[in-house]
Amino acid sequence: MQYQFIGYWGYGLPLELNTILSRVTGEKKTKVVNFNGEKFIAGISYIGVEKAPLIGGQTLIASISASGISNTIDAWIKIENNQLILGREPFGRVPLYWLKIEKVIWFASKLKLLLPIISKSSISIPGFYGYTCFSYVPTPFTPVENIFAVAAGTEKIFLEPEIQIQRHYDWRENPRQIEEKNEAIRQLQILLKDAIYRQIIDLPSEPVGVFLSGGLDSSIVAALLVQAGIKVRAYTLDFGKNSFPEWEYAEKVAQHLEIPLVKLSVTPKLMKNALLDTVKALDLPFGDGVTVPLYLLCQTAAQEVSVIFNGEGGDQLFAGWTNKPIIAAAVYNRQENFIQQYLQTFHKLWGYEDKIFQSKIYEKVQNISVEKWVEFALDDTFCTGLIHKLRRASLILKGAQNIHPRATNLAFSNGLVVRSPFSDLALAQWTFQVPGEFNLKGSNEKYILKKAVESWLPPEVVWREKRGMGVPLSYWCLNELWSEIRQWLNPEVLQAEGRFISDLAITIIQGKLGGQIRSRRVGEILWLLMIWEIWRVTILGESTINNSGYNPLLLPPWWWRWIEQVKN
C-alpha cells in the first residue's frame, strides 16, 4: 500500500511546524520524522503508515512509486548539502507539489494536503485558464494560487534565498536513425519483452489485472504478460448502445489469449454515483470524460487484484492516432502557426475566451500566452523531424501532465498500484532512433509497432482503425446526466462564482460558440465545465449558493435548441 507525505524544509521553529503537520494530517497512521541540518530544519509526515518507511540512501527522505516496485521511484524528496531537492521522473507517473511561506518550503504528494497550510486558498488564474484550454492544469501551475507542481523530468533545487531548476531529462531525437525496418522490428520486439520483464520481477503467484480497452497498446501488454507466464485477469468497459462497442475487440483478445475478461457496463447512474469520489481521488481537476469510468474500473479490479497493468503511453511513443490531424495540417497548411495548430488538437476552449469568461477574467487571461506553455515541448532544438517533434510534445504534455498522473491517482485511491510497460525509459529512448516514416505508413499509424506484434494478436485487433474510448458524453449530458449539468452549471451559481458567463451551458447547447464546439464536442465541454465546478466546491472548498431563483436549465436541452432554431 502506497503512503502519501507532506513535509517542510527551511528556517523556523520545529515545534510550531510539527504542530501544523499534525493538524493537517489528523490521521492515526501518521509518522513525523525530523531532520536537522547545519542551516535548516526539516520534517516530514508519512501518511498511511504506522512507522517511517524504509526509503534507502542517506539523502533520500521520501519517495513514491506508482508501480510499487521497490527499486523504481517516480517522485522523490532529497536533502543534500543543505539543499532541498524535489524531483520527478520524465513520464510523470506521480505528481509532486510545493509552496513557499516566509522562509519555509512546504511539499506534498497530494495537492489537498497543502491546502490547509494556506490561510486562504484562492484560484490561480493561469491554472484555471490552462484547465479550460487542455482539460488538465499545465505544470508548473496548479488551480491554487501560490501552490506549484514540479514538472516531470525535472529536479527542483532550493538553496535559500535562490530557487534553481535543474532539468535532468529531455526527450531528444537521436542523430543516428535506424535505416533497416526489419532490424527496427526485431529490436522493438526485444525491447517490449524487456519492458514487461522489468515490471514483473516482484510479482507473487496471484493474478494481476490488465485494463483491456480493445485497442492495440493494452492488447500488447496483455499478450506479453501471458507470454511471460503471468496469471492475468482482464477488465474492460462497455458504454452501451449509444457508443461504438470497443469491448468486442477486448473480448477477441481475451479469447485469443485464453484469459478471463470482466466487462463493466457503465451507465449514467453509475457515473452520477461515482462523480464526487472520482474528483476527490484525482486531487486536481481532470476534464476528460473517461476519468469516472476508469475510476469505476479500478474499483472493480481492486476486488480481485492488487496490481493493475495498462497500455498508457503507447500513443505517445509511436505517434498514435491523435497526431494524424496535426501531421496533415503541417503538410497542407504550412503558412499557419504550427503552435496554434497544435493547440487546436486539444479540442477544448482555447480561442473562445471572449465568449466564455466574464469580463474581469477575460481581461486577465488576455495577458497570458498559452503558446508559451507548449513552446518548450515543441522546440526544434530537441527534434527536427515532425513526428519526433510531435511525439516529444505528447510525452511532455498529454502524457506526463494528464494521462499518467490521473491513472496513478485513480489506482491509488482504490488501493492498487499501476504499471505502464510503455513508460519504460529504454524503450522510449529507442523510439527516438526510429524514422518517422516507420511509424506512419500512409494513413496507418503506429505501423512499426503493429508489424512487431502482428503474430501475437488477432489481425482484426492489430490492423483496425483506432477510435479512442467511446464515452457517449454528448448523449448522456443532454439526457440522463442533464440533472447533474443543471445543478453544477446553474447560471445563478456561475454568475456568483464570477469566472464563466452565467448562461454558458445554454450558449454551448445552442451552438453559439461555433468552431469545433458542436455534435460530440458539446458533451465534452459541458463535462469539462462540470468537473471544474465540482472540484472547486469539493476540493478547494469554495462555497456555492443556494438556488433562490429560477434556473433556466430546468428546461430540457431540446427546448433551448428549438428556441435558437426559431430565432434563426
Side-chain angles (χ1 to χ4, degrees), residues 17 87 89 91 125 157 202 219 248 326 352 362 397 480 516 518 564:
L17 295 172
E89 53 74 41
F91 292 100
I125 296 300
I157 303 173
D202 66 333
S219 300
E248 293 180 356
I326 186 65
Y352 297 91
Y362 179 60
L397 301 172
E480 293 98 325
Q516 298 177 342
R518 54 184 182 271
E564 186 62 18

Side-chain angles (χ1 to χ4, degrees), residues 118-370:
I118 303 176
S119 56
K120 185 180 179 181
S121 301
S122 56
I123 292 293
S124 160
I125 296 300
F128 164 67
Y129 180 35
Y131 172 79
T132 67
C133 295
F134 303 123
S135 85
Y136 60 85
V137 180
T139 57
F141 305 107
T142 73
V144 184
E145 198 168 28
N146 298 322
I147 298 181
F148 300 95
V150 177
T154 67
E155 283 192 324
K156 194 166 191 67
I157 303 173
F158 296 86
L159 177 61
E160 288 295 338
E162 296 180 359
I163 298 174
Q164 304 170 2
I165 296 179
Q166 175 181 313
R167 181 167 290 276
H168 69 84
Y169 194 84
D170 278 318
W171 303 113
R172 187 182 296 270
E173 181 177 346
N174 193 310
R176 296 183 63 181
Q177 299 286 287
I178 299 171
E179 297 180 1
E180 175 56 47
K181 187 177 294 183
N182 288 335
E183 174 59 19
I185 291 170
R186 185 190 69 81
Q187 291 181 22
L188 177 54
Q189 289 171 335
I190 295 171
L191 284 162
L192 288 170
K193 291 176 181 179
D194 287 347
I196 281 290
Y197 281 120
R198 279 189 281 273
Q199 301 266 319
I200 63 175
I201 54 174
D202 66 333
L203 288 181
S205 58
E206 301 85 64
V208 300
V210 178
F211 286 165
L212 190 58
S213 67
L216 179 65
D217 302 329
S218 61
S219 300
I220 291 172
V221 171
L224 285 167
L225 286 169
V226 170
Q227 288 177 24
I230 302 298
K231 297 176 184 176
V232 176
R233 294 184 65 81
Y235 301 87
T236 195
L237 294 164
D238 175 17
F239 297 107
K241 62 181 180 180
N242 294 300
S243 70
F244 181 82
E246 292 277 323
W247 65 266
E248 293 180 356
Y249 292 95
E251 198 169 66
K252 290 180 187 293
V253 173
Q255 290 172 352
H256 178 81
L257 299 176
E258 298 181 344
I259 58 175
L261 176 68
V262 176
K263 182 177 71 172
L264 175 64
S265 296
V266 178
T267 64
K269 184 177 179 180
L270 280 177
M271 295 275 280
K272 283 183 187 181
N273 293 339
L275 252 178
L276 296 184
D277 287 340
T278 302
V279 171
K280 291 175 183 176
L282 287 169
D283 200 34
L284 263 66
F286 289 90
D288 193 325
V290 77
T291 53
V292 175
L294 286 177
Y295 175 85
L296 291 166
L297 201 60
C298 284
Q299 201 174 57
T300 300
Q303 298 173 28
E304 301 177 321
V305 299
S306 60
V307 178
I308 198 75
F309 284 78
N310 63 33
E312 302 290 20
D315 279 336
Q316 287 81 57
L317 291 191
F318 296 97
W321 66 291
T322 56
N323 285 306
K324 289 167 72 173
I326 186 65
I327 291 170
V331 171
Y332 296 110
N333 300 303
R334 295 181 184 273
Q335 302 304 314
E336 291 187 16
N337 182 297
F338 182 78
I339 289 180
Q340 292 186 355
Q341 291 176 17
Y342 187 80
L343 286 171
Q344 290 172 0
T345 66
F346 287 89
H347 302 297
K348 298 303 181 286
L349 291 167
W350 176 77
Y352 297 91
E353 293 84 354
D354 60 332
K355 297 180 180 180
I356 67 171
F357 295 129
Q358 293 187 29
S359 58
K360 66 176 183 179
I361 297 295
Y362 179 60
E363 290 173 7
K364 292 178 180 178
V365 302
Q366 280 194 299
N367 298 320
I368 298 173
S369 172
V370 180

Side-chain angles (χ1 to χ4, degrees), residues 17 55 57-58 92 102 142 248 260 288 317 335 343 353 377 421-422 426 450 468 492 497 501 516 525 536 544 560:
L17 295 172
I55 304 297
Q58 295 181 338
E102 296 178 348
T142 73
E248 293 180 356
D288 193 325
L317 291 191
Q335 302 304 314
L343 286 171
E353 293 84 354
F422 284 102
K450 293 176 178 178
E492 191 174 344
E497 180 191 348
I501 62 170
Q516 298 177 342
I525 301 303
R536 73 172 184 86
T544 186
W560 293 108

Side-chain angles (χ1 to χ4, degrees), residues 40-88:
F40 68 89
I41 61 169
I44 185 165
S45 181
Y46 306 99
I47 303 166
V49 290
E50 294 178 346
K51 60 181 180 179
L54 295 173
I55 304 297
Q58 295 181 338
T59 63
L60 188 67
I61 65 171
S63 66
I64 294 185
S65 166
S67 66
I69 300 173
S70 59
N71 64 351
T72 303
I73 61 174
D74 298 322
W76 57 89
I77 309 293
K78 295 179 182 178
I79 295 178
E80 197 172 90
N81 300 324
N82 288 316
Q83 296 177 338
L84 172 69
I85 303 172
L86 312 181
R88 293 176 68 204

